[in-house]
Amino acid sequence: MTTIHGQRDDIGHAHGGGHHTSSGWRSGWVIFAAVMLLFNGAMSILEGITAILKDDVIVVTRNYAYAFDLTTWGWLHLALGIVLVLAGAALFNGALWARVVAVIGAGVSMVLQFLWLPHYPLWALVVIALDIFVIWAVCTMDRPRTAPR
């Protein structure tokens, strides 16, 4: 549909000067971000269960500034994992609350993974990078348009 100013209201909308922009790539990145949230949440849940049930599987470093009992780490990972899975699932629908929870959850995940570095350094760095991407994808996501009156 074209308005007086030459703008089209569909996904690949054209603005008056003939420039074409597409938000399709953004929606693809948001879907990927939702999948990454689901993956990150599932892995956090598994990490949490592992830390809670089998303390001897996880490497414990001495004299670490952020030393917590591994059971505490496990409960933190488990709780965050559940939140991330729920936010990732709701992000597929573009729910505003899911976007807010996704950004906050990915931010908390980054901090938690930073504190988790001595236990699993490579995995923690990979998750931090994914969390940065998720925050970017969700923050640059197009807002749903409301119908004209």
Side-chain angles (χ1 to χ4, degrees):
M1 175 190 270
T2 304
T3 63
I4 297 172
H5 301 291
Q7 294 179 335
R8 289 178 39 194
D9 291 334
D10 58 345
I11 290 179
H13 51 287
H15 297 283
H19 299 287
H20 296 281
T21 59
S22 174
S23 62
W25 67 272
R26 282 192 184 160
S27 63
W29 284 117
V30 171
I31 290 171
F32 184 72
V35 170
M36 287 298 102
L37 275 176
L38 289 171
F39 172 75
N40 187 356
M43 293 307 291
S44 289
I45 289 170
L46 294 176
E47 249 179 343
I49 291 170
T50 301
I52 291 168
L53 297 179
K54 293 210 163 219
D55 286 347
D56 57 337
V57 173
I58 297 173
V59 176
V60 179
T61 58
R62 294 177 186 223
N63 301 324
Y64 181 51
Y66 305 108
F68 291 111
D69 176 52
L70 284 179
T71 305
T72 304
W73 279 117
W75 284 109
L76 288 171
H77 280 283
L78 183 64
L80 180 64
I82 292 168
V83 169
L84 292 178
V85 165
L86 293 174
L91 195 58
F92 281 111
N93 294 328
L96 179 61
W97 70 266
R99 292 170 62 181
V100 171
V101 171
V103 170
I104 293 170
V108 169
S109 175
M110 285 184 354
V111 171
L112 192 61
Q113 291 300 328
F114 174 77
L115 298 174
W116 188 250
L117 271 169
H119 303 290
Y120 283 109
L122 182 61
W123 178 250
L125 291 174
V126 168
V127 172
I128 289 170
L130 288 174
D131 287 332
I132 290 169
F133 169 75
V134 166
I135 291 171
W136 170 82
V138 172
C139 287
T140 61
M141 180 177 167
D142 286 338
R143 292 183 180 170
R145 297 182 185 186
T146 57
R149 294 181 187 198

